[in-house]
Amino acid sequence: SLERQCSAFFRADEHLSSMRLRSMHEVLEHLDPICPGMSASRAARASGILLRLLLNYGVALRAVRWPRASHAVHRNGVRALVFAEVGYLFLMLLVILRRLAPASSATSLALPSSAVWSNAAAAVGALRPLASYSQLSYIPRIKRLVPGMWRSILAAVARWRSAATDTPMSVRVLRFAASWLRVLAFTTVELTVFSLGLLSLHVKLDEVRAASPGRLALFGRRPWWLAFLNVCLGWLPFLGFANQITGIVDQEDLRVEAVLRTLFVRDSKEITRSEVEAVHEFNGVLLRELCCRHGALHGAAMYLSLTSTDYRRLVVARDNLNDEGALPCAPGSDMDPRGTR
């Protein structure tokens, strides 16, 4: 029977049944034990994100100043690609500053608007992917091409089959053609974006080859400090390229997103608007409390340093732990010290 089968999984069942989700009041009560202050590890994570952000903007501006291409036509294409990347970086920076402006004036209020802090939390969280953003991040989108095409084809077939029998054939054919146009548009966009990522990779490799630190390391008759500065600037493209390569897929961002989707998204295939607003409101409350308890700058830095483990510790409670921090054993089970095997 099912009950007899479940009895064989006592340890797993005990662990699962001991978990529950805390309310927002309990989350705020456990915020200080989990985030007591700006520790060395949190300061290192936050400062690392900010340093990578400055490095990414420096590399982008350097690429604008020295575009590399062998022919004029290629040079114009490279320049357009570089300006598109730089334009996105600075546009996102303006959006972040615009979202942070209302929250900076609301820190003195006792109960500021939740929408203000939700926007501020989204702005602070956007610094993490922006610190290593490049058009190289378009390359992994090739993985979603075939699954996306298959879902679009199935949706088109489902619309054709679900059409009412009394619907005129011309209308059904037009709807079916529109569905296949969506499939074609999706495929074209994904392939175009993937091609831009490959072209960006080619351009960045050319920049790295052209910026050889060996040629900049020649001291000659120049002052030593100027030669040292040239050597450091020569390594800038290498460090920037490594930073952008590591940012193609940010594992920690994926883990945080997975935890938040597990907590707030129901068993639906697509996330709803109310669920997105719940996630934004939750992050806004965390940012507001951290800023109120530790100051605006320290609070924003601590929010920037939150990891998926911190989110799990804040929200998931374990109620059935004993004094040693372990779950109680079933009487007579293999792990019960009083029982026998």
Side-chain angles (χ1 to χ4, degrees), residues 102-336:
S104 61
S105 61
T107 51
S108 59
L109 300 179
L111 294 174
S113 172
S114 60
V116 170
W117 287 100
S118 298
N119 291 333
V124 175
L127 293 176
R128 283 192 288 261
L130 201 64
S132 54
Y133 167 80
S134 69
Q135 292 173 342
L136 299 177
S137 59
Y138 298 155
I139 296 178
R141 294 184 62 164
I142 192 64
K143 296 186 296 185
R144 53 185 286 187
L145 177 62
V146 175
M149 287 178 57
W150 182 245
R151 286 194 299 267
S152 301
I153 292 173
L154 292 179
V157 174
R159 290 191 189 96
W160 175 264
R161 292 178 176 177
S162 62
T165 56
D166 56 348
T167 305
M169 181 58 64
S170 59
V171 176
R172 298 179 64 183
V173 170
L174 287 177
R175 291 177 179 175
F176 190 69
S179 300
W180 280 100
L181 284 177
R182 294 192 191 98
V183 176
L184 180 61
F186 172 82
T187 306
T188 303
V189 169
E190 292 298 323
L191 288 177
T192 302
V193 170
F194 171 69
S195 301
L196 287 177
L198 291 181
L199 180 60
S200 177
L201 177 62
H202 177 70
V203 171
K204 293 179 185 299
L205 288 176
D206 285 344
E207 292 177 358
V208 171
R209 294 190 193 100
S212 174
R215 284 183 288 176
L216 297 174
L218 299 177
F219 282 78
R221 297 182 179 180
R222 292 175 294 179
W224 67 269
W225 58 269
L226 184 58
F228 179 75
L229 180 61
N230 287 334
V231 172
C232 294
L233 292 178
W235 281 101
L236 183 64
F238 294 87
L239 297 177
F241 181 69
N243 175 48
Q244 292 176 349
I245 284 291
T246 57
I248 291 179
V249 178
D250 194 324
Q251 296 295 332
E252 185 57 36
D253 281 349
L254 293 179
R255 286 191 288 266
V256 171
E257 182 181 359
V259 171
L260 293 177
R261 288 181 68 93
T262 303
L263 296 175
F264 291 98
V265 179
R266 298 183 179 90
D267 295 332
S268 57
K269 295 182 180 180
E270 298 293 335
I271 184 170
T272 62
R273 183 179 180 85
S274 61
E275 292 166 348
V276 173
E277 293 176 351
V279 173
H280 290 172
E281 182 180 349
F282 176 77
N283 290 330
V285 171
L286 290 182
L287 177 61
R288 183 193 66 185
E289 290 299 319
L290 289 173
C291 291
C292 291
R293 299 180 187 186
H294 304 282
L297 293 179
H298 282 181
M302 291 177 66
Y303 176 81
L304 193 61
S305 66
L306 290 178
T307 62
S308 57
T309 303
D310 296 326
Y311 280 101
R312 287 197 299 268
R313 293 177 60 195
L314 280 171
V315 180
V316 180
R318 305 293 294 271
D319 292 333
N320 298 332
L321 297 178
N322 56 24
D323 295 337
E324 287 79 16
L327 288 166
C329 297
S333 64
D334 293 344
M335 297 185 181
D336 185 13

Side-chain angles (χ1 to χ4, degrees), residues 84-122:
E85 184 172 308
V86 174
Y88 177 84
L89 287 172
F90 280 92
L91 180 62
M92 286 301 299
L93 185 61
L94 291 177
V95 172
I96 289 174
L97 295 176
R98 177 66 182 85
R99 288 185 172 184
L100 288 176
S104 61
S105 61
T107 51
S108 59
L109 300 179
L111 294 174
S113 172
S114 60
V116 170
W117 287 100
S118 298
N119 291 333

